[in-house]
Amino acid sequence: MSLPLTALPVLPSERQNTLRGIGLTLVSAILFANTNAAAKWVMTGLPTGELLWIRAIVALGVVSFFIPRHEWSRLRKGGQLHLHALRNICSATEILCFYWAISKTPMADMTTIYLASPIYVTALAAVFLQEKVGWRRWSAVFLGFIGVLVAMRPSGESVSAPVLVAVAGSMLYAISLVITRRLRSTPSTVLVATQMITLIGLSSGTALLGWIVPSLVQIGVMVAIGLVSLVAFWAVNEGLRMAPASAVAPFNYTSIIWATLLGFLVFGDIPATTTLTGAGIIVGAGLFIMMRERRVTVPPAR
């Protein structure tokens, strides 16, 4: 059982690793925001399924080189194939929901709705993983839901289909994260590869329904999206390896800054006041949950 950082001197190497982990998390947020902006631009002329199909093919082709053959056999022998299947279906469907929704609405709106995913994870972990969640964190979960409702702007306006699809996608993303907690022994490369295989199958149906021959520029952008996304995933995983999750997780919320900035610079989108208010509520609730989780899992100094 480890003591908190305030009880033990922080070694220079530990401090450096934490700073590197935070830096990689910030880099991943920037990279994901740029790939989302590029995808939104591509989808002005190409179907969502076509983009996802090419993105998944590129990602799978690269990741496959880093997976030893014995890891695949360990996956088959390790059981829990039903959890892998459920995770991959939820993850692939979530990606399809996000990309379709972001092609129809401002980036800041979609990013704000997805900021609530860690809050959903807290609620789902309490229900399905029997993790103990006190009344303070349940209150923050409820506040996070309020933030989502504010961002959706339900008062006086009809909630659009893309917004509802984004909410469904963010919940599916949270479910996939909870399932991933149960699959910690599976290498991350295998998780990514099986996810891409499922996404190829799911997007193939939608791509074949409305295939448009892409230009060389569009092909180049889609290949770049696949490659940069892999770098972003690597940065996330490496950041978590080098620093505690409680240290790096708050910096994921910087994604709303980049989404708002790129949405304005590339597409001329100006976020509504309700979007920014909802984002503030969600971020506040999420940070409180992280603080409480760290406090209840780390013993007090003696």
Side-chain angles (χ1 to χ4, degrees):
M1 188 175 290
S2 60
L3 292 175
L5 296 179
T6 54
L8 293 173
V10 180
L11 300 177
S13 59
E14 294 176 344
R15 185 181 295 111
Q16 290 174 0
N17 283 339
T18 298
L19 291 175
R20 288 170 182 165
I22 291 173
L24 286 170
T25 301
L26 291 172
V27 168
S28 71
I30 296 173
L31 292 179
F32 277 127
N34 277 275
T35 59
N36 291 339
K40 184 177 175 67
W41 177 81
V42 168
M43 288 183 292
T44 57
L46 296 176
T48 303
E50 187 172 336
L51 164 65
L52 291 179
W53 189 81
I54 293 177
R55 174 184 180 270
I57 288 289
V58 172
L60 179 62
V62 174
V63 170
S64 297
F65 284 105
F66 299 94
I67 304 177
R69 183 175 299 178
H70 71 272
E71 296 292 1
W72 289 108
S73 60
R74 195 172 81 176
L75 174 65
R76 293 194 300 270
K77 297 176 182 178
Q80 296 184 309
L81 292 179
H82 63 291
L83 287 180
H84 283 281
L86 180 59
R87 173 190 173 274
N88 290 332
I89 291 172
C90 289
S91 179
T93 305
E94 169 270 317
I95 294 173
L96 183 61
C97 288
F98 177 81
Y99 273 78
W100 182 82
I102 206 173
S103 70
K104 308 294 183 183
T105 54
M107 290 178 57
D109 290 19
M110 294 302 98
T111 302
T112 296
I113 291 174
Y114 263 74
L115 289 179
S117 293
I119 297 173
Y120 302 151
V121 169
T122 300
L124 290 169
V127 175
F128 295 106
L129 300 182
Q130 285 77 53
E131 295 184 6
K132 293 184 178 180
V133 176
W135 68 269
R136 293 181 181 86
R137 278 184 285 172
W138 275 119
S139 299
V141 169
F142 178 76
L143 184 62
F145 281 116
I146 297 297
V148 172
L149 291 176
V150 172
M152 290 170 63
R153 300 188 293 275
S155 59
E157 299 182 25
S158 59
V159 180
S160 65
V163 169
L164 292 176
V165 169
V167 171
S170 65
M171 291 183 176
L172 288 173
Y173 177 60
I175 293 172
S176 69
L177 291 178
V178 171
I179 297 174
T180 302
R181 288 188 182 185
R182 296 281 299 273
L183 301 172
R184 293 173 182 170
S185 61
T186 305
S188 59
T189 49
V190 174
L191 290 175
V192 172
T194 55
Q195 176 184 325
M196 291 301 105
I197 292 172
T198 307
L199 183 57
I200 290 171
L202 181 63
S203 60
S204 293
T206 58
L208 292 175
L209 291 175
W211 184 270
I212 298 175
V213 179
S215 66
L216 291 178
V217 173
Q218 290 171 326
I219 292 175
V221 172
M222 287 187 286
V223 171
I225 290 171
L227 295 175
V228 174
S229 295
L230 283 179
V231 176
F233 278 119
W234 172 85
V236 169
N237 292 332
E238 191 69 8
L240 289 171
R241 189 185 68 82
M242 301 184 73
S246 58
V248 302
F251 294 91
N252 286 316
Y253 288 119
T254 58
S255 59
I256 186 61
I257 298 174
W258 303 115
T260 302
L261 182 61
L262 288 171
F264 174 73
L265 293 177
V266 179
F267 306 103
D269 295 332
I270 300 177
T273 303
T274 49
T275 299
L276 297 178
T277 302
I281 295 172
I282 293 169
V283 170
L287 291 176
F288 179 82
I289 289 174
M290 293 176 197
M291 179 186 69
R292 287 298 304 174
E293 287 181 347
R294 184 177 184 181
R295 182 171 297 179
V296 299
T297 55
V298 177
R302 297 179 182 178

